[in-house]
Every structure is written in C-alpha cells, then in structure tokens.
Amino acid sequence: MESESPTETKKGKSKTPKKEKESILKQKSPAEFFAENKNIAGFDNPGKCLYTTVRELVENALDSAEAISELPVIEITIEEIVKSKFNSMIGLVDRERVDEELYDDYETAKAREKRLAKEARAQEIQAKNAALGKKVKEHAVSKSSKGRGEASFYRVTCRDNGRGMPHDDIPNMFGRVLSGTKYGLKQTRGKFGLGAKMALIWSKMSTGLPIEISSSMRGQNYLSFCRLDIDIHRNIPHIHLHEKRDNKDKWHGAEIQVVIEGNWTTYRSKILHYMRQMAVITPYAQFLFKFVSDAPDKNVTIKFARRTDVMPPVPVETKHHPSSVDILLIKRLIAETSKQNLMQFLQHEFVNIGKPLAERLIGEMGPEFSPKMAVKSLTDQQIVRIHQLFRQAKFDDPSGDCLSPAGEYNLRLGIIKELHPDMVATYSGSAQVFEGHPFIVEAGVSVGGKDVKQGLNIFRFANRIPLLFEQGGDVVTRTALKRISWNNYKINQTQDKIGVFVSIVSTKIPFKGTGKEYIGDDISEIASAVKSAIQQCCIQLKSKIVKKMQAREQQERKRNLSKYIPDASNAVYNVLQEMAKSHASKKKRYEEGDADILQKVSDHLITKETLYEKLTQHVEKVDYEMALEYATQTGVREEPREDIYLQSLDGKGNFFDFHSPIFVFRLFL
C-alpha cells in the first residue's frame, strides 16, 4: 500500500478536529461589575434608577449634616429635560426621520385603520356606558403612541448644609466604586460605597454626561468645584475640571448635579412617598422638593417643614465583638493594630474584653500563647485557634451606646406631623444583639388620620431610612400581618385606619441584597423584638381605646335617658294627679311627706314642666359625675385640641435636654 505524499495530505481534508482557541483569563473592575449588574444596587429600570438616585443623594446629605450636628436643610430638584434640549446639551443635531419603516413605532396604513376602528368602537361603548350611568374605564394609550426608544431625561440636583468634602478627596469619593467613609463598624445609612457612584455609572450609561459637584467645608473661604465621570474598566475617576472658586457666602455643604435617564410618571408616587416617610423619621430636618417641567401644570413643589430642633445623638464607631469576627477580620485587625503584644491586642481591638478576661482567654488558648507574645508573629494555625475560642467562649453582649435611634419623641412627632392620627402610641426597646451586633427596635402604632387607608398601613425604616420595596418579605410586614392579634387590643384590622411604624437601627442591618430593600424574616432575635415593640404600642392604645369606648357609652346612656324624659315626666305627672284626687276625696290616706307633694300637684305647684326640668337636671348631674370620674382616671380633658409648635430660640446657648417619650424639656443655662 502506497503512502500518501505530503502534497496530497495538505490538499485532502484533514480528519483531525480543529483545536479550540484557548480561553483567556479576564478580570473586571468593581465599576464594570456593577455597571453590568446594576439591578443589585437598586437600578433596575429607568424609573427605579430615578428613585434610587434621589434616595441615595438625600441620605448622603442627611449623613453629612448630622455628622457635624447641623440641623439638615436639604433641597432636591428633579428637572425634566426634553429630547431636543438634551440633544443640544450634548451637541447633537436633531434629524428628521428618513426611513419611517425603520422605527419601532412605525404603523402601516392597514394597521392604523384597524387601530382607529378599534378606538372608535371603544369610545362608542364608553359613551353608551356613560349614558346608562355605568362606571367608565379610562381608555388605554395605544402602544404605538410612543416607541420604546423614546427616552426621558432628568437633571437631579441635591443641595445640603452638611460638612462638605475635602477638595482633594472629591474625585475618589465619586469616581471610584467601593471607596467611602462608611466602612467602619458604625451605624450609617449607607454601607457599600455605591450610592452616588451608581448614579454616576447610570448617567454614563444612559446619557454619557459627567456629574458636577460643588462643596465647601465649614470655615473654608473657597468652594471646590469638580466635573468628572468614571472610567468603568479601570474604576478610576476621569476628571474634566477640578478647581477652587470663591465662597463669598461662606456656605458649607455639598451640591450634586447629575443628568440621567428616568421615568417620573411611573415612579412619581414612590418618590413623593419616600420624601413623606423621610419627613416622618427625621422631623428635625427641612426638605424642599421640586419637580420642574416645561409644562407648568406638571410642576410639583412640596416643603416638609422642620417641627423640632432636637436631633438624635451622632452614632459613634465601635469595636468588634469577639463573637462577630471571622478569620479574615482577625488577620486584618492584626495587620492594622498599633498594639505590640497579644494582651494589648485583645483588650483594645475588641469590646467587652478586659484584662482579667484577656488573661483567661490566653490561658485557654494553649501553652504556645503568652500575654507578652508579639501579635504580629501569630501563625495561621494560632489565628484559627483564637477564632475557635471566640466562637465558643461566653462574652457579655455589646451595649447599644454606639447606636443612634430616632427616639420616641421624634418618632411620635413625625407621625403626628404627617398623618394627624386620632391617637398614637410609641415604644423604644432596649438594645439587643444578633451575631454580635447590637440593635434597637422602635415602634409606633397610630389609629385614624389624614390620607390613611383602611386596614394596615406599614412604614418600615432601617438606620433611619424608609424602605419602600419588597414589603411582603420584610420582617415588619410579616409580623404585623401574622403575629399580632389586633382584635385583642380592640383594633379592627380591616376597618380601622392603622399605621404601623417600625424603625430598626444597628451597626449591621441584615438587608437582603445590596439594594437595601428589606430585612429578612429569618433572624429570630429581630423578629421577636419587632413583635414585642408593636405589642407594647398596642397595649398603650388598648387602654386609650377602652376609655374612649367607656366615654362613648356614657354619652349614649345620656342620650337614651334624655330621649325618655318627656314620656317619663308625662307618665309620672298623670300618676300623681290620680293619687292627688284619691287623697282629696279621702279614699286613701298618705303619709305627711307624700301628702304635701300631692297637695302641690293639686295646687298646680308641681306641673309636667317641673318634672321635666327636674329629670333633665338629674340626668345632667349623673353625666357630670361620670365624666368627672373618667377625667380623673385618664388625667386629660377631652376638649378640642390644636397642635402648637414652639419655635426655636434665636442664638445659641448652653442647655441640657431631658428626654421623655412624649416631650423634651430643654433647660437653658
């Protein structure tokens, strides 16, 4: 058998399978990852992106003002930008359509004729229903009226009176994902270093326009201005302009302006609902919200006025609890600590480890450990041993001193200010612990009010921020719906207008997902604390409701007695007349006192009118005595009341605040 020549082999088809191209190892920057997975940060669609941008900017502004104990004054403006104006902003010339069939909203003559006929039939049916007095449904807008490519753009501006930002830090604070000042163990509204950066990433994806930041710190005579965007692939800021300008007004704070694609129509109610809830949980802040459109009838301006100048204390950074750390965190603490030996490291890097306990722990670790050994020389095996002991040993729970809850006073004031309920009860629980992290649950329950729907209206807050989405899976919703027996507290779950407010603060809020949408129902410590707080409010309300029911019953008894006074006085007078006739004819003798009364009846000194007047006086007396007893028990006067808000004094002076669940007494020195 002859062998094939090399030439023939080349010409013939090769039977060897084609070798696959080797895969190349690639990596993504954090900015690139979140740009491709923006939904996990709350940027699901244009409408949600607009809402989340407003939310992140407002929360950053509040944090900034509270950090310097400044009463927050925040202005948020959403300006609608029509397509022609947006194109002129980016230097794009509008073009007329040349190929109509190319567009998504193109409609053939036959399709248009069919659509118009359908709309005409719908209008005819509507006219007939209207003539018959039936409810008329609003005609749906045809899909072809707006193509999917027709985007809406908005300029979002947020201005605050906070501490501002250092000039040199501004580029990295906005142009580098996963960089921020909130990564310590501390109660903060934000945790992930994403908020404002995600707004910038969305701006770059949807409009290509940079973000603009103006900032000045207290005491600075200049204002920092920075215009930048972000290099997605390298996760670094791309600075267009960064300069210092005159600060003639001595203003301090920050103003952030970003242009994004959004949808105001579908998320209008969510944004306004968020602002209203933020006003509830922060009554010490002043918010001015504006929506500006080319159509004046669409403009919205709402001012949420400040109702108190009592602010919660500033949260303080705390140290890690031994039961909450893992091996990586122990290694990081060892690398960052300034302490030399193991004894000092345990005492100063963790809470609730004093010198006696540190000595006992080191003795339990084994003979290779000693108090004076260099902490930097610990081996991986020794670090694992420390971690195992931390998980097994018993430690005191961390205190809640590092937390800053809204406070019963602010929560109650916020509820009254925004909802105007008939009655409200609040409760603030003591600090509790889950996974080594302290948390405090505050609750408020209101009955009645303005713009409140029948049934349960649930308002959820985490680290003093409203949670509006994913309500069904939240621990507060599940507890209020399934674990509270409202009838036991004289509250009708379906008929009464019930407001349930629950605020949870912690150094670690167990959000589900980075979007900070809801708190899971799988942490028994938090679920139990939420249930207890709501129940405490219900117990307070039950007492008020029972007393109100008693007062209503007393009024009903008075009405019933008064209703029978005319008939009773007539009947009694007729009986007395018959008795007087018998007494006058000497058919029957009565005792001296009764005889005197009968004589007065005969002489017309006692008439029907006299009896009517006496019975009315008696009913009034009984009602007064019962009302007096009720007022003595409740300690309040049931009279129409008007809310009065005391204005803060001009000037600053030294003072002490004495806090109570229902008021704050301020003593000026």
Side-chain angles (χ1 to χ4, degrees), residues 145-370:
S145 63
K146 187 173 182 179
R148 64 176 179 230
E150 193 71 26
S152 301
F153 302 100
Y154 302 89
R155 179 186 287 112
V156 182
T157 306
C158 184
R159 182 182 176 90
D160 64 64
N161 62 334
R163 65 181 172 189
M165 294 164 278
H167 180 81
D168 295 333
D169 291 347
I170 292 176
N172 283 330
M173 292 180 78
F174 286 88
R176 195 183 298 272
V177 173
L178 300 182
S179 65
T181 59
K182 301 179 181 180
Y183 288 124
L185 192 62
K186 179 181 179 181
Q187 173 193 325
T188 58
R189 290 186 172 89
K191 276 288 184 190
F192 306 107
L194 284 177
K197 292 129 181 136
M198 279 305 304
L200 175 55
I201 289 174
W202 174 241
S203 173
K204 189 174 179 69
M205 293 174 68
S206 61
T207 69
L209 292 173
I211 192 171
E212 293 186 355
I213 306 106
S214 299
S215 175
S216 181
M217 302 186 74
R218 190 179 272 173
Q220 283 184 350
N221 57 4
Y222 66 88
L223 183 148
S224 301
F225 177 81
C226 188
R227 184 184 298 119
L228 61 88
D229 62 22
I230 186 171
D231 186 326
I232 299 290
H233 303 292
R234 298 166 63 197
N235 191 33
I236 60 173
H238 176 215
I239 302 171
H240 297 219
L241 178 64
H242 192 194
E243 64 182 9
K244 295 180 180 179
R245 299 177 177 179
D246 288 338
N247 185 16
K248 296 179 181 178
D249 298 332
K250 301 296 180 184
W251 166 73
H252 65 83
E255 181 177 285
I256 300 165
Q257 189 176 105
V258 61
V259 179
I260 60 172
E261 181 184 347
N263 191 327
W264 166 256
T265 305
T266 56
Y267 273 77
R268 178 184 186 273
S269 60
K270 284 289 185 186
I271 292 172
L272 295 179
H273 196 43
Y274 168 81
M275 295 302 301
R276 185 187 186 191
Q277 289 200 29
M278 188 58 85
V280 169
I281 202 66
T282 55
Y284 52 86
Q286 177 178 302
F287 298 99
L288 179 62
F289 177 85
K290 293 181 181 179
F291 175 78
V292 181
S293 172
D294 286 346
D297 59 321
K298 292 183 179 179
N299 291 349
V300 176
T301 300
I302 303 176
K303 183 177 181 180
F304 299 91
R306 178 184 298 121
R307 292 306 188 196
T308 177
D309 59 359
V310 177
M311 293 178 64
V314 178
V316 296
E317 190 166 349
T318 186
K319 297 172 184 176
H320 293 275
H321 192 268
S323 64
S324 69
V325 298
D326 54 37
I327 294 173
L328 283 175
L329 182 54
I330 295 173
K331 287 183 177 180
R332 181 168 68 82
L333 292 175
I334 290 172
E336 295 175 355
T337 187
S338 60
K339 303 304 174 184
Q340 300 299 317
N341 59 52
L342 181 58
M343 173 71 78
Q344 294 174 338
F345 173 73
L346 294 177
Q347 285 183 252
H348 292 89
E349 296 297 336
F350 301 95
V351 295
N352 295 351
I353 297 184
K355 187 176 180 180
L357 181 57
E359 290 174 344
R360 292 175 62 192
L361 289 170
I362 294 171
E364 188 67 23
M365 289 175 190
E368 66 270 24
F369 293 88
S370 68

